Structure formats: structure tokens, C-alpha cells
């Protein structure tokens, strides 16, 4: 394999080559910025058969969407390489980004779009079926399991909410309480009113027949027939490489995992670092992640323009200062003469 050639430095290094990262890189390339995307090649939605809810690309295979995105970024001069970022450190000019293979590149700004990892309960069969007939988001996968016998694995306080959502797609819903807190009286009433069955006891395993999920087996041996299972994963941002900057994930206010907080523009608490997509917004779907990446990229470009303008003004003041001052005065006088 030929190692991809990197420049010594870039205006922006984008860490993460999913929808958010590629969309941000596309925006930066069109802004005539030098941009590098470092993609570990492990997108969260890789197990899914298609991307859903994305206008104009409904049902497209995740890999095809990303391949198109990489080609578009390269079409505007952006570099996209396969690799993992091992560490990031501060330099006078911005950041030094070190890859796991030892290569290092400089970056004036950093856009982090590394997404998250779904941590699932340790139940035999669960991870293997993830993204197929083990699901988490009804808006992403509900249509594909409509009218099927769906089980919801109770793991936390949001499981009742998840169960009520999936009821929109099927009238055959069973909530397995498993390890979740016992529902309140009001929640039990809501579940009963919607015709949802509640099963006590921990789940021991999923039953798989001919590569299809056929049921949920409880620890007492009881088997409940199900064709799909929904589970609320614990979502954890992929950000270990940022520890050297002092930027660490925090608990999300939803209680569903960890993220990197940011302001509405995607700016993180460390100057020069922006975040977009699931690394900061746990609930972002592909379209939302792409939009956030593009928006953060625009803010990064504006920030660079501000820096470059400030430097240009400093240089302007320090070179032929008397001549420049006279020129500025002349321009101001001309504006006043024209009523500006």
C-alpha cells in the first residue's frame, strides 16, 4: 500500500470522515482553504443497510454516500486520507496532529467530527445483530420493522419513552424491563393504554434462527417471540486523542452518554477547536450532522479571515506607516465627500 502524501500543514485538519467531517471539508475547500480529512474508516452507521431520512439520498448505502463525499472534497483540492489520530498538541501556529503511524501535520484550526461509539449491554447476540434487527432509533429504522413484533430492552429511564415511540410503527410492542428502573404508576398506565406488554426479569440472550432474530430469552428460560429488538445504547464520544489539549468529554444532559460541549457555532472550549456531528450532538442524524459540519466550517473560515485581516492590518501599519496613514485619510475624505 502506498502511503498517502501529506503536506506539512493545512489551514484546517478535520478529524473524522463521516457526514459531518466531509461536509465541513467540502465547505472549506470551496472557501479555498487547504484542508485535510483524516478518516479512521469506522463510521457508526456502517452496519446499517441504508441511510434514511436524508432528502435526495433515501436508502443509499452508507459506504456509497461517504465515497461520493470523499470524491467531492477531493474535487475542490481537499486531501482525504485513511488513518487514526493518536494525539493533538498546541503549537505557536495552531496544532500538531500526530497520526498513529507516526506522521505529523500542522493545522491552524481543528474540526473534530469523530462521532461516537454505541456501548451495548453484554447480552449474547445483541452486538452481532446491531444495525440489522437490533435497533435504537425509530426515525432511522422504524419503517423497516413496521408491523413486526418488536421488543424494547429496558436499560434506563428513557426506555419507556423509546417504547412509546416505537408503538407508532407497530401495535405489537413488548417492553422487557431487564435492568431499567421500575416504571412509575403513570408510565405503567401509558403503556397499558397503548396496548404494550410489559415483561419483568432480565434478558439472557437473543434467539437467532437462520440468521434472523426470532425471540428474546429471559434468565428463567422463558422465550418471547420477537422479530426486532430496540435498545437505548450508551453513546460515548471518540475523543481520547484530545486529552493533550485538556479537552475531555462530559456527561450529556440527557444522561444517555458523553459528548464534547460546544457553543451554537460548534466552537469548543479550547480556542481553535470546533466540533460537529455526534461527537457533540448525540441525537444528530446524517442530515443534521452534515449541516452542522458545514456550519462549523463556515465559522472556522470566518475566524481565519478575522485572524488574517488582523495580521494584514498590523503589517500595513508597520510598513511605510506615514504613506499608509495618508492613504487611509484620503479614503476617509473621499467617503465623506460622497456622503458615505
Amino acid at each position: 500500500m502506498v502511503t498517502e502524501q501529506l503536506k506539512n500543514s493545512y489551514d484546517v485538519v478535520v478529524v473524522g470522515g463521516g457526514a459531518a467531517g466531509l461536509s465541513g471539508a467540502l465547505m472549506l475547500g470551496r472557501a479555498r482553504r487547504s484542508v485535510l480529512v483524516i478518516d479512521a474508516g469506522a463510521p457508526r452507521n456502517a452496519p446499517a443497510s441504508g441511510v434514511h431520512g436524508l432528502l435526495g439520498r433515501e436508502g443509499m448505502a452508507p459506504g456509497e454516500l461517504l465515497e461520493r463525499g470523499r470524491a467531492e472534497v477531493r474535487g475542490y483540492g481537499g486531501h482525504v486520507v485513511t488513518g487514526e489520530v493518536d494525539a493533538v498538541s498546541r503549537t505557536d501556529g495552531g496544532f500538531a496532529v500526530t497520526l498513529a503511524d507516526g506522521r505529523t501535520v500542522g493545522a491552524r484550526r481543528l474540526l473534530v467530527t469523530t462521532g461516537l461509539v454505541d456501548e451495548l449491554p453484554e447480552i449474547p447476540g445483541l452486538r452481532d445483530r446491531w444495525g440489522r434487527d437490533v435497533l435504537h432509533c425509530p426515525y432511522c429504522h422504524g419503517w423497516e420493522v413496521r408491523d413486526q413484533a418488536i421488543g424494547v430492552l429496558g436499560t434506563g429511564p428513557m426506555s419507556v419513552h423509546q417504547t412509546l415511540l416505537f408503538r407508532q410503527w407497530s401495535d405489537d410492542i413488548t417492553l422487557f424491563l431487564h435492568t431499567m428502573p421500575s416504571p412509575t404508576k403513570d408510565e405503567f398506565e401509558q403503556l397499558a393504554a397503548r396496548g404494550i406488554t410489559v415483561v419483568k426479569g432480565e434478558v439472557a440472550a437473543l434467539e437467532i434462527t437462520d440468521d434472523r432474530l426470532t425471540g428474546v430469552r429471559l434468565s428463567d428460560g422463558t422465550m418471547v417471540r420477537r422479530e426486532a429488538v430496540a435498545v437505548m445504547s450508551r453513546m460515548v464520544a471518540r475523543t481520547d486523542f484530545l486529552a493533550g489539549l485538556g479537552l475531555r468529554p462530559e456527561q450529556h444532559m440527557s444522561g444517555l452518554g458523553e459528548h464534547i460541549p460546544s457553543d451554537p457555532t460548534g466552537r469548543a472550549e479550547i480556542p481553535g477547536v470546533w466540533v460537529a456531528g455526534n461527537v457533540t450532538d448525540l441525537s444528530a442524524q446524517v442530515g443534521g450532522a452534515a449541516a452542522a459540519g458545514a456550519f462549523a466550517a463556515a465559522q472556522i473560515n470566518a475566524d481565519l479571515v478575522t485572524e488574517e485581516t488582523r495580521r494584514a492590518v498590523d503589517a500595513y501599519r508597520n510598513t511605510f506607516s506615514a504613506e499608509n496613514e495618508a492613504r487611509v485619510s484620503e479614503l476617509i475624505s473621499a467617503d465623506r465627500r460622497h456622503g458615505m
Side-chain angles (χ1 to χ4, degrees), residues 16-338:
L22 291 173
S23 187
L26 180 63
M27 183 70 77
L28 289 162
R30 286 178 53 81
R32 309 187 73 179
R33 293 294 178 185
S34 61
V35 58
L36 168 67
V37 179
I38 303 174
D39 181 14
R44 180 190 185 195
N45 63 354
S49 60
V51 173
H52 299 293
L54 183 61
L55 188 64
R57 292 291 182 266
E58 172 61 32
M60 177 177 284
E64 181 181 354
L65 181 68
L66 296 183
E67 187 55 42
R68 288 192 183 193
R70 288 189 283 267
E72 290 172 352
V73 170
R74 289 175 174 135
Y76 286 98
H79 291 177
V80 183
V81 300
T82 301
E84 294 187 33
V85 173
D86 187 58
V88 178
S89 58
R90 176 71 72 179
T91 65
D92 290 340
F95 304 95
V97 180
T98 303
L99 280 71
D101 62 12
R103 291 181 289 174
T104 299
V105 296
R108 296 172 63 192
R109 300 292 186 272
L110 199 66
L111 175 56
V112 179
T113 60
T114 44
L116 56 82
V117 175
D118 291 290
E119 295 182 348
L120 300 175
E122 294 294 331
I123 295 175
L126 199 67
R127 171 59 69 177
D128 292 342
R129 309 303 301 183
W130 182 244
R132 302 165 68 188
D133 37 29
V134 173
L135 319 164
H136 74 294
C137 170
Y139 301 105
C140 301
H141 306 291
W143 177 263
E144 283 63 44
V145 297
R146 65 193 184 281
D147 298 326
Q148 293 185 20
I150 302 172
V152 179
L153 184 63
T155 57
M158 292 296 291
S159 293
V160 169
H161 173 69
Q162 186 183 33
T163 303
L164 293 170
L165 284 181
F166 268 96
R167 177 62 178 80
Q168 175 64 23
W169 282 264
S170 174
D171 59 7
D172 187 358
I173 305 291
T174 296
L175 170 60
F176 297 90
L177 294 183
H178 190 52
T179 59
M180 67 174 285
S182 179
T184 65
K185 181 180 178 180
D186 286 345
E187 289 173 332
F188 269 120
E189 184 178 45
Q190 292 168 6
L191 295 166
R194 294 291 279 158
I196 296 169
T197 302
V198 177
V199 175
K200 297 180 180 180
E202 291 195 18
V203 171
L206 300 187
E207 293 292 322
I208 310 299
T209 305
D210 296 329
D211 197 32
R212 294 189 59 140
L213 192 154
T214 55
V216 174
R217 187 168 298 281
L218 302 178
S219 56
D220 65 4
T222 302
M223 210 277 276
V224 181
R225 185 188 68 84
R226 295 289 92 183
E227 298 169 280
V229 167
V231 58
M232 191 74 72
S233 64
R234 183 173 184 272
M235 296 172 276
V236 180
R238 296 166 164 155
T239 58
D240 289 347
F241 62 93
L242 294 173
L245 297 178
L247 190 58
R248 293 178 172 81
E250 299 179 8
Q251 286 294 324
H252 193 269
M253 60 182 180
S254 67
L256 297 178
E258 298 177 350
H259 73 137
I260 298 292
S262 67
D263 72 8
T265 72
R267 191 190 299 261
E269 65 178 1
I270 300 298
V273 179
W274 274 258
V275 292
N278 287 143
V279 73
T280 185
D281 182 358
L282 301 183
S283 64
Q285 294 180 285
V286 174
F295 186 72
Q299 308 310 306
I300 292 172
N301 181 63
D303 190 56
L304 287 169
V305 167
T306 299
E307 177 184 283
E308 290 158 355
T309 302
R310 183 177 64 250
R311 290 179 177 177
V313 169
D314 289 342
Y316 185 82
R317 288 172 176 171
N318 293 328
T319 306
F320 308 113
S321 58
E323 179 182 336
N324 288 339
E325 184 176 347
R327 175 60 178 157
V328 170
S329 298
E330 179 183 336
L331 290 172
I332 293 173
S333 296
D335 285 345
R336 287 173 177 171
R337 286 197 301 273
H338 288 86

